[in-house]
Amino acid sequence: MDKYEAQQIEVKWQQVWADARAFEVPNPEPGARGEERKSYVLEMLPYPSGTLHMGHVLVYTLGDVLTHFRRRNGFEVMRPMGYDSFGLPAENAAIAEGGHPREIVERNIEHIRSEMKRMGWAIDWSREFSTHDPEYYRWTQWLFLQLFEAGHAYRKAAPVNWCPNDQTVLANEQVKDGRCDRCGAEVEARNLEQWFFRTTAYADHLLDEMDQLDWPERVLAMQRHWIGRSEGAEVLFRVEELDLDLPVFTTRADTLFGATYFVLAPEHPLVERLAADSPNGDELREYVRRAGAKPAAERAAGADKTGVSTGFFATNPVNEARIPIWVADYVLMEYGTGAIMAVPAHDERDGAFAERFDLPVVTVVDEDGQLVESAQFSGQPHTEGGEAIVEWLGTRGRGRPAVNYRLRDWGFSRQRYWGCPIPVVYCGDCGIVAVPDSDLPVLLPEIEDYKPKGVPPLAQADEWVRVDCPRCGKEGRREVETMDTFVDSSWYFLRYCDAHNDQAPYDREIVDYWMPVNDYTGGVDHSTVHMIYARYFTKALNDLGLIGHREPFKRFFGNGWVTQGGSKMSKSKGNVTGPDALVKLYGADATRLYILFIGPADQDMEWNESGIEGTQRFLRRLWRVVGEVVEQAPAGEPGEGGIARKAHRTIARVTDDLGRRHQFNTPIAAVMELVNELAKAPGDQAARFAAKTAVSLIQPYAPHVAEELWEQLGHERLWEQPWPTHDPALLEEDTFELVVQVNGKVRDRFVVPVGLSEDELVARAKESPKVQAQLNGGEIRKTIVVPRKLVNLVLG
RNA sequence: GCCGAAGUGGCGGAACUGGCAGACGCGCCGGACUCAAAAUCCGGUGGGGGAAACCUCGUGUGGGUUCGAGUCCCACCUUCGGCACCA
């Protein structure tokens, strides 16, 4: 038998699979039901910023192991691949290096695709697409219009990071220490009209329907916190001078009698009005300007409270007290109503502020948790008292129970070039008008310069911008903002189901067959934003009758990060190791094995190449041992000898690890053990069976060498063979090693037959000379017998 | 500060329901093969004591529950991740 030549074998089998279209799966016949048979295995699609790194190798190898495992367990598996190809990095690369973002991503995609093929991942390439293809983003636009026309999308003013020097909006990651990372200018806050999806309308659904999900608890917890539901009350404070009511949200209505002042966020729309009539209006405006410019991090870290009094007063509805209205940046516009009642006695932050500005402090809950100084509510326990106060306010129309969320609506417009155009037209007469379906896609126009200059880059495309209003025919202007790439990735899993449909984003019946995704795999860094948005999108589309399911990802496996030098591999940090050199040196199979062998896949792992030779060594050893087995092992039934039992035990372990425990490193160790044992007895009666088993079990990890060895063992097409099953009878042993403890410490161990009674086990334990020595004539107070495991003798 | 995850040999890690701590691999040490080296193969490898049989200590720290704790409970320390003046 020849030497193990990874390169040669891998390229050979990759060609065989491609020719056989081995991993393409057809769509169902109309009317087919998928629940029992289908399995949709998906990993988060890559962003084509450069080449693959070991983080990608981890995710896609994980997905690959699941794909093979499910396929061979009788499921019809769809496992597609695509590229999240719109977005900022490509646009910035185009600005920095010249060229078109499209050329850049398409070049990267080509490279990534060839790397993926060289890794031998079992992908259904017939479903491949990129989100920047007009054939794809046409339907992104179409879906947006469905949501827009149903009232899910709207426009409102919201602050953005603005660089006054570059005249452009900056993403959070482009702001370093409050300065533009390109030119160093101090970043300002600017209010811009932008597009939003009403994600908050789905807050409760997003929370409640989590019970349908088989996700890691830590990810569910992150989402729960992100949504941040909290129950409390909304209470109206009267501002007499302005003749209006200001609502506040509070979780501590029980402390209302202790509210001694009132605070508005600097961004609160009322502040402008107050400044106009306030004696210290100038000071107020200056404070608001500075607070807006203050980097969020600094504002958040600021232990020192700052603020300005407005000179206006609000009336506390419980006791008619007139309390001063302040403006302070410790109150956030994004949370609650942007206004709070301040209770210095019972809120740490209010307390610090009151001390700084010498504001009154009134204690209304005593050490026993009873209300005091609270009129007719005094003496009640504060929890019940709070409810009573809200109820009393309700009868007077000044308050009601309310629920507040941390979750905000999703701002999805970007003042950028490289994204999906938002298909609406602004008309002087008709307002915002949807582009009709027949005019989709709204193609991204070619422009000269991707740098924004005060206006989004698309505004340069004058010809393109000017367009007749689809409704009245008068001249209108196209939307020049593009969509957030999270919109693209909120439905890509639907498109895979019916990737080349040119009449619709997908056929509803086909999507209903494949969806939801059975196994979703990706970095935990997407546990909140992407996975909340995708869940929101799914629910909204379901409510529009466009799909039949409400949750996109039934099971989720969040893989850890592959770090190098302690931080996550990324092109921008320059700490990237890719698969290419490893494949050349060790082969794809050894690389795939190694990335899953180095540790639990759901935990972060520091990349360290030194062990990869071990997995290569293992494959060589497997190769050699299989060769010896082919030469030496007798034909015929494996029987029930030692190596047969070991093989059955290994099947049971690997199957349980992959199927139930979602553990990907230990199966490799289990197969290594089997191979180690087989190496000692390649001529054993059961050696052929053991070799087959080892090859078959390692196939999801190392499919090329497995296929080659499978053939050498006289079989064909391992990739479509049923997953091996173990014989439970062969897991049973006739004997076991009895552990004998004295006072809980192991003193002896010896092999005994299965089936001895407890008394017999104890008797044997006592016979042991080593145990005798420990007993030393002492009295046994208690004996513990754990069947099939141990005897513990406790001395008095 | 809050929420979550994790702390086990020189290193990555294993030990699933409380029952032999350290599977598997890396590294290292010794041996075989070789003129030699690489590769490969065989053996060893937690600390301390002992010539050895064996004894003893040992899973971040301190307590506790239990016949028995890496695993359960309480308090704490450290690291990583998420969120954060959240009303």
Side-chain angles (χ1 to χ4, degrees):
Chain A
M1 185 160 147
D2 297 339
K3 218 177 134 219
Y4 168 51
E5 296 283 0
Q7 306 297 325
Q8 203 185 315
I9 292 168
E10 289 171 2
V11 171
K12 169 186 155 186
W13 286 105
Q14 283 160 16
Q15 192 57 51
V16 170
W17 296 327
D19 292 345
R21 298 172 172 268
F23 307 113
E24 289 183 22
V25 54
N27 274 336
E29 297 297 319
R33 308 283 302 155
E35 296 96 59
E36 300 291 310
R37 280 185 57 235
K38 74 92 184 177
S39 183
Y40 187 171
V41 176
L42 182 67
E43 305 91 54
M44 292 176 185
L45 82 180
Y47 187 87
S49 60
T51 56
L52 296 183
H53 55 67
M54 296 318 289
H56 294 114
V57 172
L58 172 64
V59 199
Y60 299 123
T61 305
L62 266 175
D64 215 50
V65 168
L66 283 172
T67 298
H68 285 297
F69 183 68
R70 300 254 181 271
R71 280 174 53 88
R72 294 183 55 205
N73 274 287
F75 289 95
E76 182 182 48
V77 176
M78 170 165 67
R79 197 286 186 96
M81 186 58 68
Y83 312 93
D84 187 16
S85 45
F86 270 139
L88 195 54
E91 184 163 326
N92 284 343
I95 292 170
E97 304 155 20
H100 195 289
R102 182 184 301 114
E103 289 163 15
I104 294 170
V105 299
E106 287 181 357
R107 198 167 57 231
N108 290 339
I109 286 169
E110 208 170 314
H111 189 95
I112 288 173
R113 184 191 297 118
S114 74
E115 287 181 300
M116 288 181 161
K117 292 194 171 173
R118 187 58 190 80
M119 289 305 296
W121 289 324
I123 291 164
D124 180 349
W125 289 105
S126 72
R127 297 170 186 269
E128 183 190 23
F129 61 78
S130 303
T131 58
H132 78 283
D133 294 338
E135 298 82 50
Y136 181 80
Y137 73 70
R138 167 183 182 167
W139 301 113
T140 306
Q141 293 176 340
W142 187 87
L143 288 168
F144 157 80
L145 288 175
Q146 306 307 304
L147 292 167
F148 171 62
E149 280 168 1
H152 286 271
Y154 69 100
R155 279 174 70 77
K156 73 169 180 190
V160 293
N161 305 310
W162 181 262
C163 173
N165 184 49
D166 290 349
Q167 290 285 296
T168 182
V169 174
L170 299 176
N172 286 338
E173 68 169 36
Q174 293 178 293
V175 182
K176 301 270 148 62
D177 302 322
R179 293 178 178 280
C180 172
D181 73 343
R182 203 176 297 151
C183 71
E186 201 165 296
V187 173
E188 297 174 354
R190 243 203 197 192
N191 258 336
L192 268 191
E193 281 275 312
Q194 296 173 81
W195 284 96
F196 286 85
F197 283 124
R198 292 187 202 279
T199 38
T200 49
Y202 280 80
D204 277 325
H205 290 299
L206 288 167
L207 218 44
D208 297 343
E209 291 164 28
M210 283 193 327
D211 64 9
Q212 304 172 23
L213 302 176
D214 179 11
W215 288 13
E217 185 49 43
R218 62 179 169 147
V219 176
L220 293 174
M222 266 193 246
Q223 290 218 347
R224 248 179 244 120
H225 184 239
W226 190 266
I227 296 163
R229 182 189 152 100
S230 77
E231 290 188 27
E234 190 170 278
V235 180
L236 295 178
F237 279 67
R238 180 83 186 153
V239 186
E240 213 52 68
E241 292 95 324
L242 299 174
D243 187 26
L244 54 79
D245 290 322
L246 277 178
V248 302
F249 173 76
T250 178
T251 53
R252 294 296 307 274
D254 56 318
T255 63
L256 259 161
F257 284 88
T260 54
Y261 65 101
F262 193 96
V263 189
L264 293 171
E267 298 85 358
H268 198 286
L270 192 64
V271 172
E272 187 64 29
R273 241 176 104 187
L274 295 180
D277 288 330
S278 171
N280 44 358
D282 291 341
E283 195 192 339
L284 257 177
R285 286 197 199 87
E286 177 58 18
Y287 180 75
V288 169
R289 203 190 58 77
R290 274 188 293 118
K294 210 167 170 184
E298 192 185 307
R299 193 167 150 178
D304 53 323
K305 296 277 178 286
T306 62
V308 178
S309 172
T310 64
F312 285 85
F313 290 86
T315 305
N316 186 341
V318 291
N319 57 6
E320 303 300 320
R322 274 166 56 82
I323 57 177
I325 301 178
W326 286 66
V327 172
D329 67 5
Y330 80 92
V331 174
L332 307 176
M333 194 59 221
E334 307 85 59
Y335 189 78
T337 62
I340 63 155
M341 64 167 197
V343 185
H346 303 292
D347 182 283
E348 221 176 288
R349 294 151 302 165
D350 297 344
F353 190 86
E355 191 177 339
R356 166 91 166 72
F357 292 102
D358 207 15
L359 292 157
V361 179
V362 177
T363 299
V364 292
V365 181
D366 67 15
E367 295 92 28
D368 304 321
Q370 295 212 335
L371 293 184
V372 293
E373 303 285 327
S374 299
Q376 69 269 36
F377 304 101
S378 297
Q380 294 196 34
H382 77 105
T383 41
E384 283 88 339
E387 287 165 26
I389 289 172
V390 174
E391 199 176 317
W392 179 82
L393 283 170
T395 62
R396 306 172 47 114
R398 306 304 295 170
R400 59 184 176 82
V403 175
N404 189 57
Y405 300 91
R406 211 184 72 90
L407 184 73
R408 292 181 230 157
D409 277 347
W410 169 15
F412 69 93
S413 52
R414 298 288 180 267
Q415 298 71 39
R416 300 281 168 190
Y417 172 74
W418 191 235
C420 175
I422 298 173
V424 300
V425 173
Y426 294 93
C427 168
D429 292 346
C430 310
I432 303 176
V433 181
V435 172
D437 290 358
S438 55
D439 291 349
L440 296 184
V442 174
L443 288 171
L444 201 53
E446 298 303 319
I447 62 171
E448 294 293 309
D449 186 358
Y450 310 110
K451 267 191 210 136
K453 297 184 188 64
V455 289
L458 282 182
Q460 290 172 42
D462 209 40
E463 295 276 294
W464 177 84
V465 170
R466 268 181 305 186
V467 65
D468 292 342
C469 169
R471 193 172 297 160
C472 70
K474 274 196 201 145
E475 186 171 300
R477 291 179 63 79
R478 286 193 194 278
E479 174 60 83
V480 293
E481 300 190 331
T482 50
M483 289 187 219
D484 181 4
T485 55
F486 281 118
V487 181
D488 307 328
S489 57
S490 287
W491 78 281
Y492 76 107
F493 41 88
L494 303 178
R495 184 66 178 172
Y496 282 138
C497 299
D498 194 13
H500 306 298
N501 193 327
D502 57 5
Q503 302 300 308
Y506 49 79
D507 181 289
R508 160 89 194 256
E509 206 181 338
I510 295 173
V511 159
D512 286 350
Y513 176 85
W514 287 114
M515 289 294 290
V517 173
N518 297 81
D519 284 285
Y520 197 41
T521 307
V524 268
D525 42 330
H526 288 116
S527 297
T528 44
V529 182
H530 159 60
M531 300 217 336
I532 291 260
Y533 291 163
R535 292 182 64 216
Y536 155 74
F537 227 74
T538 300
K539 292 174 197 309
L541 295 184
N542 174 268
D543 283 342
L544 293 178
L546 293 170
I547 46 176
H549 58 284
R550 288 186 67 78
E551 284 292 343
F553 315 124
K554 186 93 191 108
R555 198 176 94 169
F556 173 65
F557 184 89
N559 63 273
W561 289 352
V562 181
T563 60
Q564 187 144 285
S567 57
K568 191 186 170 190
M569 278 192 193
S570 74
K571 201 188 170 198
S572 52
K573 290 200 192 93
N575 62 339
V576 175
T577 296
D580 297 5
L582 298 172
V583 168
K584 205 171 271 176
L585 268 171
Y586 307 101
D589 282 334
T591 304
R592 295 167 53 120
L593 267 175
Y594 184 60
I595 195 69
L596 292 181
F597 183 63
I598 47 180
D602 57 352
Q603 282 168 35
D604 293 352
M605 51 189 93
E606 172 72 9
W607 175 250
N608 178 350
E609 212 164 300
S610 70
I612 190 167
E613 286 182 37
T615 55
Q616 188 192 35
R617 215 170 283 161
F618 162 67
L619 292 177
R620 287 209 197 108
R621 188 176 168 83
L622 176 66
W623 182 273
R624 194 194 80 229
V625 170
V626 170
E628 288 168 8
V629 167
V630 168
E631 282 172 21
Q632 300 173 28
E637 290 301 307
E640 298 182 359
I643 192 83
R645 287 174 182 275
K646 179 74 181 175
H648 279 277
R649 268 205 306 279
T650 307
I651 294 170
R653 267 176 77 184
V654 172
T655 306
D656 190 46
D657 281 352
L658 293 182
R660 179 181 64 88
R661 297 181 67 202
H662 319 324
Q663 201 160 307
F664 297 89
N665 52 336
T666 46
I668 302 172
V671 177
M672 283 174 170
E673 278 185 50
L674 175 60
V675 173
N676 287 346
E677 202 153 309
L678 183 59
K680 289 177 193 143
D684 189 274
Q685 180 64 40
R688 237 166 238 286
F689 170 70
K692 260 185 77 173
T693 299
V695 167
S696 181
L697 292 177
I698 210 65
Q699 181 267 353
Y701 293 85
H704 312 86
V705 67
E707 205 63 60
E708 185 71 23
L709 293 175
W710 188 251
E711 211 173 64
Q712 289 176 20
L713 285 163
H715 309 283
E716 283 186 327
R717 294 165 86 90
L718 177 55
W719 74 85
E720 42 193 38
Q721 295 308 305
W723 190 252
T725 50
H726 70 272
D727 179 351
L730 286 188
L731 298 190
E732 300 297 322
E733 300 282 352
D734 305 334
T735 58
F736 70 97
E737 191 176 59
L738 179 71
V739 171
V740 183
Q741 298 180 334
V742 177
N743 288 336
K745 287 190 178 154
V746 179
R747 293 303 175 181
D748 200 4
R749 56 191 80 159
F750 45 85
V751 174
V752 298
V754 167
L756 292 184
S757 72
E758 294 200 359
D759 288 347
E760 286 169 313
L761 288 174
V762 172
R764 298 244 188 154
K766 286 180 187 164
E767 283 165 19
S768 157
K770 288 176 191 171
V771 172
Q772 292 278 331
Q774 289 295 328
L775 292 181
N776 202 13
E779 192 197 341
I780 296 171
R781 184 166 55 86
K782 191 172 179 182
T783 58
I784 310 279
V785 180
V786 181
R788 302 288 303 269
K789 276 209 177 87
L790 63 78
V791 169
N792 186 12
L793 305 174
V794 185
L795 297 184

